[in-house]
Amino acid sequence: MTEAGSLKNIPGGVTAAQGFLASGVPAGLKKNGALDVALIFSELPAAAAGVYTTNRVKAAPLELTRSRVEQGKARAVIVNAGNANACTGPGGMSDAQAMARSAAEALAIAEEQVLVASTGVIGVPLPVAKIAAAAPRAVAELSRENHSAAAQAIMTTDLMAKEYAVELPIKNKRVTIGGMAKGSGMIHPNMATMLCFITTDANISDAVLQQALKRAVDRSFNMITVDGDTSTNDMVVVLANGKAGNAEIVQDTEDYRRFYGALKEVCTALAKMIARDGEGATRLVEVQVTGGPSREDAGRAAKAVAGSNLFKAAVFGKDANWGRILCALGYSGAAFDPAATDIFIGEVQVAKDGGALAFDEERAVEMLSRDPVQICVDLKSGAHSATAWGCDLTYDYVRINGSYRT
């Protein structure tokens, strides 16, 4: 385990926090018979918060979950992989409701307390009967030990399960935040084919939790990109059941700032795992921009570089083509002076004041071979900074997406 100050990284994912159980079971949605239905359950009623895709086309499970999160409370989340239940007409909502109902009946709780998420192929009716048949087994296998099975069950083209958890003291109580996520392709700032479920035993209201989540997502998941596609099903949902027994966390307090910092840590760790696991990727790319006139400008600049297909291809080929970085900065919409911009690839400065600089090409290739590849840009136009994450663009990305349905 690693520890930074009072924030400690711990195992356990979505069941690291007190009072949460999880499971992952096969329902026959994935062609290979792998785990494809996950269930998360809180032993106590929990405050709920969520952030969702900006795509105008939104899947039925997302719309259902959003309406229930707006009520402020939930106890369970059921998730399927292999079928997005998106663009499926009026039947899509009925299927999403049936999916929630199957979990609610197996758990013996109110249907309105169950949130729903789906991921997979778009435009194909959800085989909800298979999910309903698997729900009792998902409930039977709920445990604190099955967090990894749940993380595996939500994967599609992901190569690795994504879990992270931390604990921190708040007013002499141990508060834990843990989560799991999936995402590999259709990943772009402002949410993409990305699902993330976070649990915490903190005592916090749904309104304050929503505020903390939105800010944390803006600085983590909304700062990653794999391929520029924003999907129909993306969501980040948090449940807080208060079992830690801390005094309620309220806005504009030290407790809130510390809780937010821990929540952002979990979101950032999971976001970086998604970027690193981009379809066909071989290396994570981290773009740090400093000297921005505003945080928004620094963020636009960082995301443009991380999302540039030309730059991503250059990373794959280990080509120190810094002109592609400057070009992406130029179309990012950020306010800055190109003639004052410095660019570094790892430890090697490759451009100064927006112009060419003699540098060691072999050393730059070494920097581009590292994982992560670190790009540092100083706009020298202010005091604000931002970091974005992406990955290289490889031949395998086309191979994977050229046959996704088959």
Side-chain angles (χ1 to χ4, degrees):
M1 292 186 290
T2 60
E3 186 172 0
S6 60
L7 187 65
K8 182 185 296 185
N9 174 216
I10 61 172
V14 290
T15 63
Q18 299 177 67
F20 286 97
L21 309 174
S23 64
V25 299
L29 280 73
K30 291 180 180 176
K31 295 177 181 179
N32 61 2
L35 303 178
D36 52 21
V37 170
L39 184 63
I40 304 168
F41 177 64
S42 174
E43 296 173 340
L44 299 174
V51 180
Y52 314 94
T53 185
T54 57
N55 196 316
R56 286 180 64 87
V57 180
K58 294 178 174 63
L62 183 149
E63 296 282 26
L64 181 62
T65 290
R66 182 164 62 178
S67 68
R68 292 182 175 179
V69 167
E70 286 173 355
Q71 304 306 309
K73 296 291 182 181
R75 287 191 68 182
V77 187
I78 184 169
V79 191
N80 77 273
N83 185 299
N85 192 15
C87 307
T88 47
M93 182 57 73
S94 297
D95 288 342
Q97 292 169 336
M99 183 171 162
R101 190 178 310 117
S102 68
E105 291 174 351
L107 289 165
I109 62 174
E111 182 182 335
E112 293 72 23
Q113 295 180 318
V114 180
L115 310 181
V116 184
S118 300
T119 181
V121 176
I122 292 172
V124 178
L126 181 71
V128 69
K130 293 182 177 181
I131 299 172
R137 177 178 174 183
V139 172
E141 295 189 12
L142 284 170
S143 71
R144 295 197 74 179
E145 291 71 34
N146 280 341
H147 56 91
S148 292
Q152 292 168 27
I154 65 175
M155 294 166 57
T156 51
T157 57
D158 306 63
L159 296 179
M160 57 175 280
K162 302 165 181 70
E163 300 182 273
Y164 196 78
V166 299
E167 66 177 22
L168 71 158
I170 292 183
K171 292 289 193 296
N172 298 318
K173 299 292 185 179
R174 187 187 72 174
V175 170
T176 302
I177 306 173
M180 67 180 189
K182 67 82 52 182
S184 187
M186 290 186 80
I187 303 295
H188 190 58
N190 299 319
M191 311 287 291
T193 297
M194 189 202 78
L195 301 178
C196 177
F197 307 100
I198 299 172
T199 59
T200 177
D201 48 23
N203 179 15
I204 185 170
S205 71
D206 55 283
V208 177
L209 185 63
Q210 182 68 44
Q211 179 193 57
L213 176 63
K214 186 178 186 309
R215 188 178 177 208
V217 167
D218 283 343
R219 288 157 174 76
S220 57
F221 295 112
N222 283 348
M223 295 299 289
I224 62 174
T225 180
V226 168
D227 52 18
D229 278 314
T230 300
S231 186
T232 56
N233 292 55
D234 318 326
M235 68 175 75
V236 179
V237 170
V238 182
L239 299 181
N241 66 12
K243 201 163 185 179
N246 59 288
E248 182 177 339
I249 297 169
V250 296
Q251 295 180 20
D252 302 323
T253 62
E254 180 60 26
D255 288 348
Y256 173 81
R257 286 185 283 275
R258 298 182 69 244
F259 175 82
Y260 163 74
L263 179 61
K264 187 178 75 166
E265 166 74 12
V266 171
C267 290
T268 300
L270 291 171
K272 289 168 68 174
M273 290 179 200
I274 290 172
R276 175 61 185 82
D277 197 27
E279 289 173 338
T282 65
R283 296 189 294 291
L284 174 69
V285 177
E286 182 175 89
V287 181
Q288 301 173 335
V289 172
T290 60
S294 69
R295 186 193 171 277
E296 291 71 24
D297 285 305
R300 290 187 194 102
K303 286 190 286 188
V305 174
S308 164
N309 282 337
L310 285 174
F311 167 65
K312 288 154 60 72
V315 172
F316 173 61
K318 302 174 186 176
D319 179 9
N321 192 340
W322 61 267
R324 293 179 177 179
I325 298 173
L326 191 60
C327 179
L329 295 170
Y331 64 64
S332 68
F336 73 104
D337 180 3
T341 301
D342 293 346
I343 300 173
F344 296 77
I345 297 177
E347 301 165 3
V348 179
Q349 185 170 6
V350 294
K352 180 177 177 60
D353 295 329
L357 184 71
F359 63 90
D360 185 335
E361 288 277 359
E362 291 186 2
R363 180 67 169 154
V365 168
E366 180 186 340
M367 296 294 104
L368 287 166
S369 302
R370 293 184 175 181
D371 189 8
V373 174
Q374 292 184 313
I375 305 298
C376 299
V377 175
D378 188 354
L379 300 179
K380 293 190 285 188
S381 298
H384 296 272
S385 62
T387 303
W389 297 273
C391 59
D392 56 345
L393 181 61
T394 72
Y395 306 123
D396 276 344
Y397 177 83
V398 177
R399 179 186 59 78
I400 292 167
N401 284 282
S403 57
Y404 184 72
R405 294 199 307 151
T406 56

